[in-house]
Every structure is written in structure tokens, then in C-alpha cells.
PDB file of all heavy atoms in Angstrom:
ATOM      1  N   VAL A   1     -49.420 115.297 -27.114  1.00 98.00           N
ATOM      2  CA  VAL A   1     -48.027 115.573 -26.728  1.00 98.00           C
ATOM      3  C   VAL A   1     -46.995 114.998 -27.685  1.00 98.00           C
ATOM      4  O   VAL A   1     -45.799 115.267 -27.526  1.00 98.00           O
ATOM      5  CB  VAL A   1     -47.738 115.062 -25.299  1.00 98.00           C
ATOM      6  CG1 VAL A   1     -48.748 115.620 -24.317  1.00 98.00           C
ATOM      7  CG2 VAL A   1     -47.720 113.539 -25.225  1.00 98.00           C
ATOM      8  N   LEU A   2     -47.417 114.212 -28.679  1.00 97.00           N
ATOM      9  CA  LEU A   2     -46.475 113.568 -29.587  1.00 97.00           C
ATOM     10  C   LEU A   2     -46.753 113.921 -31.037  1.00 97.00           C
ATOM     11  O   LEU A   2     -47.855 114.353 -31.384  1.00 97.00           O
ATOM     12  CB  LEU A   2     -46.545 112.044 -29.432  1.00 97.00           C
ATOM     13  CG  LEU A   2     -46.172 111.439 -28.074  1.00 97.00           C
ATOM     14  CD1 LEU A   2     -46.515 109.947 -28.062  1.00 97.00           C
ATOM     15  CD2 LEU A   2     -44.706 111.665 -27.755  1.00 97.00           C
ATOM     16  N   GLN A   3     -45.750 113.686 -31.869  1.00 97.00           N
ATOM     17  CA  GLN A   3     -45.888 113.729 -33.317  1.00 97.00           C
ATOM     18  C   GLN A   3     -45.727 112.303 -33.845  1.00 97.00           C
ATOM     19  O   GLN A   3     -45.028 111.487 -33.246  1.00 97.00           O
ATOM     20  CB  GLN A   3     -44.826 114.630 -33.945  1.00 97.00           C
ATOM     21  CG  GLN A   3     -44.945 116.089 -33.571  1.00 97.00           C
ATOM     22  CD  GLN A   3     -46.224 116.722 -34.090  1.00 97.00           C
ATOM     23  OE1 GLN A   3     -46.658 116.420 -35.211  1.00 97.00           O
ATOM     24  NE2 GLN A   3     -46.827 117.586 -33.285  1.00 97.00           N
ATOM     25  N   PRO A   4     -46.391 111.958 -34.960  1.00 97.00           N
ATOM     26  CA  PRO A   4     -46.216 110.621 -35.518  1.00 97.00           C
ATOM     27  C   PRO A   4     -44.732 110.288 -35.694  1.00 97.00           C
ATOM     28  O   PRO A   4     -43.949 111.111 -36.176  1.00 97.00           O
ATOM     29  CB  PRO A   4     -46.937 110.704 -36.863  1.00 97.00           C
ATOM     30  CG  PRO A   4     -47.991 111.742 -36.643  1.00 97.00           C
ATOM     31  CD  PRO A   4     -47.364 112.763 -35.740  1.00 97.00           C
ATOM     32  N   GLY A   5     -44.362 109.085 -35.269  1.00 98.00           N
ATOM     33  CA  GLY A   5     -42.973 108.659 -35.382  1.00 98.00           C
ATOM     34  C   GLY A   5     -42.125 108.954 -34.169  1.00 98.00           C
ATOM     35  O   GLY A   5     -40.985 108.480 -34.080  1.00 98.00           O
ATOM     36  N   ASP A   6     -42.658 109.724 -33.213  1.00 98.00           N
ATOM     37  CA  ASP A   6     -41.888 110.004 -32.000  1.00 98.00           C
ATOM     38  C   ASP A   6     -41.649 108.723 -31.206  1.00 98.00           C
ATOM     39  O   ASP A   6     -42.518 107.842 -31.152  1.00 98.00           O
ATOM     40  CB  ASP A   6     -42.639 110.997 -31.104  1.00 98.00           C
ATOM     41  CG  ASP A   6     -42.417 112.449 -31.511  1.00 98.00           C
ATOM     42  OD1 ASP A   6     -41.548 112.691 -32.369  1.00 98.00           O
ATOM     43  OD2 ASP A   6     -43.119 113.329 -30.966  1.00 98.00           O
ATOM     44  N   PRO A   7     -40.484 108.603 -30.568  1.00 98.00           N
ATOM     45  CA  PRO A   7     -40.213 107.423 -29.747  1.00 98.00           C
ATOM     46  C   PRO A   7     -40.941 107.483 -28.403  1.00 98.00           C
ATOM     47  O   PRO A   7     -41.027 108.542 -27.774  1.00 98.00           O
ATOM     48  CB  PRO A   7     -38.699 107.468 -29.547  1.00 98.00           C
ATOM     49  CG  PRO A   7     -38.345 108.920 -29.668  1.00 98.00           C
ATOM     50  CD  PRO A   7     -39.315 109.506 -30.652  1.00 98.00           C
ATOM     51  N   ILE A   8     -41.501 106.340 -27.984  1.00 98.00           N
ATOM     52  CA  ILE A   8     -42.135 106.212 -26.680  1.00 98.00           C
ATOM     53  C   ILE A   8     -41.543 104.990 -25.982  1.00 98.00           C
ATOM     54  O   ILE A   8     -40.973 104.104 -26.630  1.00 98.00           O
ATOM     55  CB  ILE A   8     -43.666 106.065 -26.783  1.00 98.00           C
ATOM     56  CG1 ILE A   8     -44.054 104.807 -27.583  1.00 98.00           C
ATOM     57  CG2 ILE A   8     -44.283 107.313 -27.414  1.00 98.00           C
ATOM     58  CD1 ILE A   8     -45.548 104.523 -27.631  1.00 98.00           C
ATOM     59  N   LEU A   9     -41.667 104.938 -24.670  1.00 98.00           N
ATOM     60  CA  LEU A   9     -41.156 103.818 -23.889  1.00 98.00           C
ATOM     61  C   LEU A   9     -42.251 103.344 -22.945  1.00 98.00           C
ATOM     62  O   LEU A   9     -42.676 104.097 -22.062  1.00 98.00           O
ATOM     63  CB  LEU A   9     -39.915 104.232 -23.096  1.00 98.00           C
ATOM     64  CG  LEU A   9     -39.278 103.163 -22.203  1.00 98.00           C
ATOM     65  CD1 LEU A   9     -38.824 101.961 -23.022  1.00 98.00           C
ATOM     66  CD2 LEU A   9     -38.101 103.752 -21.410  1.00 98.00           C
ATOM     67  N   GLY A  10     -42.717 102.119 -23.153  1.00 98.00           N
ATOM     68  CA  GLY A  10     -43.795 101.583 -22.338  1.00 98.00           C
ATOM     69  C   GLY A  10     -43.473 100.202 -21.804  1.00 98.00           C
ATOM     70  O   GLY A  10     -42.440  99.608 -22.147  1.00 98.00           O
ATOM     71  N   PHE A  11     -44.361  99.686 -20.985  1.00 98.00           N
ATOM     72  CA  PHE A  11     -44.212  98.366 -20.374  1.00 98.00           C
ATOM     73  C   PHE A  11     -44.655  97.308 -21.374  1.00 98.00           C
ATOM     74  O   PHE A  11     -45.769  97.367 -21.902  1.00 98.00           O
ATOM     75  CB  PHE A  11     -45.058  98.314 -19.103  1.00 98.00           C
ATOM     76  CG  PHE A  11     -44.852  97.111 -18.233  1.00 98.00           C
ATOM     77  CD1 PHE A  11     -43.620  96.468 -18.165  1.00 98.00           C
ATOM     78  CD2 PHE A  11     -45.884  96.614 -17.464  1.00 98.00           C
ATOM     79  CE1 PHE A  11     -43.428  95.370 -17.356  1.00 98.00           C
ATOM     80  CE2 PHE A  11     -45.711  95.516 -16.637  1.00 98.00           C
ATOM     81  CZ  PHE A  11     -44.477  94.889 -16.587  1.00 98.00           C
ATOM     82  N   ASP A  12     -43.811  96.333 -21.632  1.00 97.00           N
ATOM     83  CA  ASP A  12     -44.051  95.298 -22.638  1.00 97.00           C
ATOM     84  C   ASP A  12     -45.372  94.578 -22.364  1.00 97.00           C
ATOM     85  O   ASP A  12     -45.621  94.097 -21.259  1.00 97.00           O
ATOM     86  CB  ASP A  12     -42.893  94.301 -22.612  1.00 97.00           C
ATOM     87  CG  ASP A  12     -42.869  93.392 -23.823  1.00 97.00           C
ATOM     88  OD1 ASP A  12     -43.946  92.975 -24.289  1.00 97.00           O
ATOM     89  OD2 ASP A  12     -41.767  93.080 -24.315  1.00 97.00           O
ATOM     90  N   LEU A  13     -46.226  94.479 -23.394  1.00 95.00           N
ATOM     91  CA  LEU A  13     -47.516  93.799 -23.264  1.00 95.00           C
ATOM     92  C   LEU A  13     -47.347  92.361 -22.800  1.00 95.00           C
ATOM     93  O   LEU A  13     -48.105  91.872 -21.957  1.00 95.00           O
ATOM     94  CB  LEU A  13     -48.257  93.847 -24.598  1.00 95.00           C
ATOM     95  CG  LEU A  13     -49.589  93.090 -24.673  1.00 95.00           C
ATOM     96  CD1 LEU A  13     -50.617  93.716 -23.739  1.00 95.00           C
ATOM     97  CD2 LEU A  13     -50.126  93.073 -26.101  1.00 95.00           C
ATOM     98  N   SER A  14     -46.349  91.664 -23.303  1.00 93.00           N
ATOM     99  CA  SER A  14     -46.157  90.264 -22.945  1.00 93.00           C
ATOM    100  C   SER A  14     -45.659  90.093 -21.513  1.00 93.00           C
ATOM    101  O   SER A  14     -45.662  88.982 -20.975  1.00 93.00           O
ATOM    102  CB  SER A  14     -45.170  89.597 -23.913  1.00 93.00           C
ATOM    103  OG  SER A  14     -43.866  90.129 -23.773  1.00 93.00           O
ATOM    104  N   HIS A  15     -45.252  91.191 -20.882  1.00 95.00           N
ATOM    105  CA  HIS A  15     -44.808  91.149 -19.488  1.00 95.00           C
ATOM    106  C   HIS A  15     -45.873  91.691 -18.531  1.00 95.00           C
ATOM    107  O   HIS A  15     -45.648  91.743 -17.326  1.00 95.00           O
ATOM    108  CB  HIS A  15     -43.514  91.942 -19.320  1.00 95.00           C
ATOM    109  CG  HIS A  15     -42.312  91.258 -19.883  1.00 95.00           C
ATOM    110  ND1 HIS A  15     -41.037  91.431 -19.382  1.00 95.00           N
ATOM    111  CD2 HIS A  15     -42.189  90.376 -20.910  1.00 95.00           C
ATOM    112  CE1 HIS A  15     -40.182  90.692 -20.080  1.00 95.00           C
ATOM    113  NE2 HIS A  15     -40.868  90.062 -21.014  1.00 95.00           N
ATOM    114  N   GLY A  16     -47.002  92.119 -19.082  1.00 94.00           N
ATOM    115  CA  GLY A  16     -48.078  92.630 -18.235  1.00 94.00           C
ATOM    116  C   GLY A  16     -48.526  94.022 -18.577  1.00 94.00           C
ATOM    117  O   GLY A  16     -49.328  94.615 -17.856  1.00 94.00           O
ATOM    118  N   GLY A  17     -48.024  94.593 -19.675  1.00 95.00           N
ATOM    119  CA  GLY A  17     -48.402  95.953 -20.065  1.00 95.00           C
ATOM    120  C   GLY A  17     -49.779  96.011 -20.700  1.00 95.00           C
ATOM    121  O   GLY A  17     -50.601  95.106 -20.532  1.00 95.00           O
ATOM    122  N   HIS A  18     -50.034  97.080 -21.459  1.00 95.00           N
ATOM    123  CA  HIS A  18     -51.346  97.256 -22.086  1.00 95.00           C
ATOM    124  C   HIS A  18     -51.183  97.511 -23.569  1.00 95.00           C
ATOM    125  O   HIS A  18     -50.181  98.082 -24.025  1.00 95.00           O
ATOM    126  CB  HIS A  18     -52.105  98.422 -21.440  1.00 95.00           C
ATOM    127  CG  HIS A  18     -53.539  98.487 -21.842  1.00 95.00           C
ATOM    128  ND1 HIS A  18     -53.991  99.305 -22.860  1.00 95.00           N
ATOM    129  CD2 HIS A  18     -54.632  97.832 -21.378  1.00 95.00           C
ATOM    130  CE1 HIS A  18     -55.300  99.156 -23.011  1.00 95.00           C
ATOM    131  NE2 HIS A  18     -55.709  98.264 -22.120  1.00 95.00           N
ATOM    132  N   LEU A  19     -52.187  97.109 -24.340  1.00 94.00           N
ATOM    133  CA  LEU A  19     -52.170  97.295 -25.785  1.00 94.00           C
ATOM    134  C   LEU A  19     -51.833  98.729 -26.187  1.00 94.00           C
ATOM    135  O   LEU A  19     -51.066  98.965 -27.118  1.00 94.00           O
ATOM    136  CB  LEU A  19     -53.541  96.926 -26.370  1.00 94.00           C
ATOM    137  CG  LEU A  19     -53.847  95.466 -26.658  1.00 94.00           C
ATOM    138  CD1 LEU A  19     -55.315  95.314 -26.994  1.00 94.00           C
ATOM    139  CD2 LEU A  19     -52.987  94.955 -27.809  1.00 94.00           C
ATOM    140  N   SER A  20     -52.413  99.690 -25.483  1.00 96.00           N
ATOM    141  CA  SER A  20     -52.277 101.095 -25.878  1.00 96.00           C
ATOM    142  C   SER A  20     -50.985 101.734 -25.406  1.00 96.00           C
ATOM    143  O   SER A  20     -50.822 102.943 -25.497  1.00 96.00           O
ATOM    144  CB  SER A  20     -53.470 101.912 -25.352  1.00 96.00           C
ATOM    145  OG  SER A  20     -53.511 101.876 -23.941  1.00 96.00           O
ATOM    146  N   HIS A  21     -50.030 100.928 -24.931  1.00 96.00           N
ATOM    147  CA  HIS A  21     -48.731 101.444 -24.500  1.00 96.00           C
ATOM    148  C   HIS A  21     -47.632 101.141 -25.516  1.00 96.00           C
ATOM    149  O   HIS A  21     -46.451 101.168 -25.175  1.00 96.00           O
ATOM    150  CB  HIS A  21     -48.351 100.863 -23.134  1.00 96.00           C
ATOM    151  CG  HIS A  21     -49.287 101.217 -22.039  1.00 96.00           C
ATOM    152  ND1 HIS A  21     -49.166 100.736 -20.755  1.00 96.00           N
ATOM    153  CD2 HIS A  21     -50.382 102.023 -22.019  1.00 96.00           C
ATOM    154  CE1 HIS A  21     -50.137 101.214 -19.993  1.00 96.00           C
ATOM    155  NE2 HIS A  21     -50.885 101.996 -20.750  1.00 96.00           N
ATOM    156  N   GLY A  22     -48.034 100.835 -26.755  1.00 95.00           N
ATOM    157  CA  GLY A  22     -47.041 100.642 -27.800  1.00 95.00           C
ATOM    158  C   GLY A  22     -47.114  99.323 -28.543  1.00 95.00           C
ATOM    159  O   GLY A  22     -46.248  99.040 -29.366  1.00 95.00           O
ATOM    160  N   SER A  23     -48.144  98.506 -28.295  1.00 95.00           N
ATOM    161  CA  SER A  23     -48.253  97.222 -28.980  1.00 95.00           C
ATOM    162  C   SER A  23     -48.314  97.424 -30.491  1.00 95.00           C
ATOM    163  O   SER A  23     -48.963  98.350 -30.989  1.00 95.00           O
ATOM    164  CB  SER A  23     -49.507  96.483 -28.514  1.00 95.00           C
ATOM    165  OG  SER A  23     -49.720  95.324 -29.295  1.00 95.00           O
ATOM    166  N   SER A  24     -47.668  96.534 -31.219  1.00 94.00           N
ATOM    167  CA  SER A  24     -47.577  96.662 -32.676  1.00 94.00           C
ATOM    168  C   SER A  24     -48.924  96.542 -33.362  1.00 94.00           C
ATOM    169  O   SER A  24     -49.087  96.988 -34.507  1.00 94.00           O
ATOM    170  CB  SER A  24     -46.617  95.607 -33.233  1.00 94.00           C
ATOM    171  OG  SER A  24     -47.089  94.301 -32.955  1.00 94.00           O
ATOM    172  N   VAL A  25     -49.908  95.921 -32.713  1.00 95.00           N
ATOM    173  CA  VAL A  25     -51.228  95.768 -33.325  1.00 95.00           C
ATOM    174  C   VAL A  25     -52.162  96.915 -32.952  1.00 95.00           C
ATOM    175  O   VAL A  25     -53.309  96.941 -33.399  1.00 95.00           O
ATOM    176  CB  VAL A  25     -51.878  94.429 -32.914  1.00 95.00           C
ATOM    177  CG1 VAL A  25     -51.027  93.263 -33.401  1.00 95.00           C
ATOM    178  CG2 VAL A  25     -52.093  94.345 -31.413  1.00 95.00           C
TER     179      VAL A  25
END
């Protein structure tokens, strides 16, 4: 559903989110 570089909005990993929701690593 996305193209590289598209903006996404996820739950912050440090607040309880998941790696695959936008973590920089």
C-alpha cells in the first residue's frame, strides 16, 4: 500500500509500540 518515502504514523516504540511500526532501526 505504500511507496518508499511515504509518510506513516505509528505508536512510538519507546511508549509501547513495535519495531515494525516505524522504528529507525
